[in-house]
Each structure stands twice: as C-alpha cells, then as structure tokens.
Amino acid sequence: MSKYTTGEIAKLCGVTVRTVQYYDTRGILIPTELSEGGRRLYSENDLKRMKIICFLRDLGLPIDSISKMLAEDDPESVISLLLEQQENLLREEIGERKQKLDKLESLRRDLKDVEKISFESIGDIAYTMSNRKKLRKIHITMLIVAIPFSVLEWTAIILWIMKGWWWLFVIQAVISLPAIAALSKYYYDKVAYICPKCHTVFIPTYREMMFARHTPSTRRLTCTSCGHHGFCVEVAKEEDNPRSDCRKAD
C-alpha cells in the first residue's frame, strides 16, 4: 500500500505543508504511522480523508464543523444539518454582497453626474442613497393622490370639447385646486435639498421651490447657508438631520 509524506499529500491535494500539519494538530488528519526518522506517513485512506476535508473547506465549512462531522460514528444526520447551515450562511453572504454591489453600482452612476469628486460629494451621494427609499415613498404618495384629479380634469376637458359642458370643467377646477394646493404643501413639508457647494441640507422658501426649474431629482435653488444658486439634490426631510439644521429660508 502506498505511503505519502507530508509534502507529497500536500501536493496531491493542492495545499501547503503547513495546512497538512495544522490538520494534524487539530486531530482531523492524523498520520497512519511515523517513519524511523520521525517523518509522518499517510496511507491511501488518509489521502481520501484529506481530499474530503479540502472539499468541505472549499464549501466554507469551518474546521470545528468538519471535526465534529468526521468524529461521528453515524455522520449522515450531522452532515445533512451542517451542510444545510452552511447553505443558509452562504445565501445570506450572497444577499449581503449583492446589496453591496448594488450600492457600488449606484454610487458609480451617481458619480458620473458629479463635476468634481471629493469626500464631501461622496458623502452627499451616500446620504441620498440611504434616503432614497423614503423619498420614493413620498413621490408614490403624491402620484396616487394626483391621478384621480388628473383623470377628472381630462374628463371635464373632453366633455367640454365634445358636448360643450364648460360648467363641468369649472366644477372640477373648484374641487381640484384646493386639493392641488394641499398636495403641494405636503410635498414642501416632506423634502429638503443638498447644496452641491457647501453640502448643507437646507429648506428653501415655498415660493422659490414651487417656481424653480427642476429635474426629477434636482431643483435650481439658492442655498440658505452659503448663498450658492444652482441645481440642488432633492432628499426626504429628516426631523433630526445629523448633517444640518435644515434652516428654512427667510
């Protein structure tokens, strides 16, 4: 029967000599015999055992779990349980890494719109990313409320054109205008803006916000902290914002 030295079994299994020695000290790969010179010698069964250990390590199982598995007289139930636990752990790690990858991709996309990258600009992007879910909820709420009034308005316009019912348009305007004003106030009370110059989160005046040029995620405003006038990034307002006192413009 073939005998293998520590170096030979390490080479056959694609690991280092220190790894084989470490498994020996942990008691999961004890050599079959020692030579007269005190060298460790491993049998064919030891080689098979080593390959199984390496396979389980490649799956991410810790040494302690492998040791328990190999020590069992009837390891079937233990193996099944340990593999299930390792599968769940790996799925959790994959989910966490997927979230990190999504954040990284989002950061790279957002950095393309930044003229000069700095730690402050990365901080702004990190803040908007963490704030994005709350801001999306605000937008969805506004959309849900606005849709019925839009349908009512277009219905009134069509009936005015087709049947001459101008009075129906007047009625819907009387109903819709207060609702639109309330919706605008709700929007104003829920959002704030990040100045790209001084990175302060601020609140503009209601009039400036409503009449400012804007994109889906920015609005051209004057920062209440440094006076910079330009497109500022929209975020959901925080009650106790650690980045700013969110002072309202006079």
Side-chain angles (χ1 to χ4, degrees):
M1 183 178 289
S2 300
K3 300 292 181 182
Y4 304 96
T5 64
T6 301
E8 288 171 340
I9 201 170
K11 185 176 181 180
L12 289 170
C13 294
V15 297
T16 65
V17 171
R18 285 189 177 183
T19 299
V20 179
Q21 294 171 342
Y22 174 68
Y23 291 163
D24 183 6
T25 60
R26 293 299 303 268
I28 61 175
L29 186 72
I30 300 173
T32 301
E33 62 181 270
L34 296 175
S35 68
E36 293 181 359
R39 300 179 66 187
R40 296 177 177 85
L41 295 177
Y42 297 90
S43 65
E44 287 287 349
N45 288 334
D46 293 334
L47 177 60
K48 291 179 182 178
R49 186 183 181 93
M50 181 63 179
K51 288 182 177 179
I52 292 172
I53 293 170
C54 291
F55 173 71
L56 294 174
R57 288 295 289 149
D58 287 340
L59 292 178
L61 265 72
I63 295 296
D64 290 341
S65 296
I66 296 174
S67 179
K68 292 177 183 178
M69 189 183 300
L70 296 175
E72 289 289 329
D73 294 331
D74 183 18
E76 182 177 349
S77 59
V78 178
I79 290 174
S80 177
L81 178 61
L82 289 174
L83 292 180
E84 182 180 354
Q85 289 177 341
Q86 186 62 17
E87 180 182 354
N88 293 335
L89 179 62
L90 290 175
R91 290 188 184 280
E92 289 179 5
E93 291 180 357
I94 290 172
E96 291 173 358
R97 290 180 179 273
K98 178 64 167 58
Q99 289 180 357
K100 291 180 181 179
L101 180 60
D102 291 342
K103 288 182 179 179
L104 181 60
E105 291 176 346
S106 180
L107 175 60
R108 291 188 62 183
R109 286 195 301 269
D110 291 342
L111 283 175
K112 291 180 181 179
D113 299 327
V114 178
E115 294 181 4
K116 184 178 180 181
I117 299 175
S118 64
F119 283 112
E120 289 80 5
S121 60
I122 293 176
D124 290 345
I125 292 171
Y127 180 75
T128 56
M129 287 171 62
S130 64
N131 186 272
R132 196 166 288 166
K133 187 174 182 180
K134 188 174 181 180
L135 184 62
R136 187 181 297 116
K137 185 177 179 180
I138 295 170
H139 290 163
I140 291 174
T141 300
M142 290 188 61
L143 184 63
I144 292 173
V145 175
I147 285 176
F149 291 100
S150 296
V151 172
L152 181 61
E153 179 183 3
W154 280 104
T155 301
I157 291 173
I158 292 172
L159 291 175
W160 186 0
I161 294 172
M162 296 181 64
K163 296 184 176 293
W165 294 355
W166 59 267
W167 49 268
L168 185 60
F169 178 81
V170 174
I171 293 174
Q172 73 81 27
V174 171
I175 295 173
S176 297
L177 287 177
I180 293 173
L183 190 61
S184 298
K185 185 63 168 57
Y186 164 82
Y187 182 41
Y188 176 72
D189 289 339
K190 293 295 183 179
V191 298
Y193 295 87
I194 302 176
C195 173
K197 187 77 171 179
C198 67
H199 308 283
T200 297
V201 180
F202 70 97
I203 302 172
T205 62
Y206 178 82
R207 179 182 176 83
E208 182 186 19
M209 176 181 162
M210 289 298 109
F211 291 97
R213 290 173 54 196
H214 63 276
T215 70
S217 59
T218 63
R219 200 170 287 262
R220 192 174 182 84
L221 302 166
T222 300
C223 175
T224 60
S225 180
C226 69
H228 171 76
H229 183 71
F231 281 99
C232 302
V233 179
E234 185 176 83
V235 293
K237 188 186 298 181
E238 301 286 352
E239 293 299 327
D240 296 316
N241 195 322
R243 304 186 76 231
S244 170
D245 59 1
C246 281
R247 288 175 298 180
K248 185 174 178 180
D250 295 328

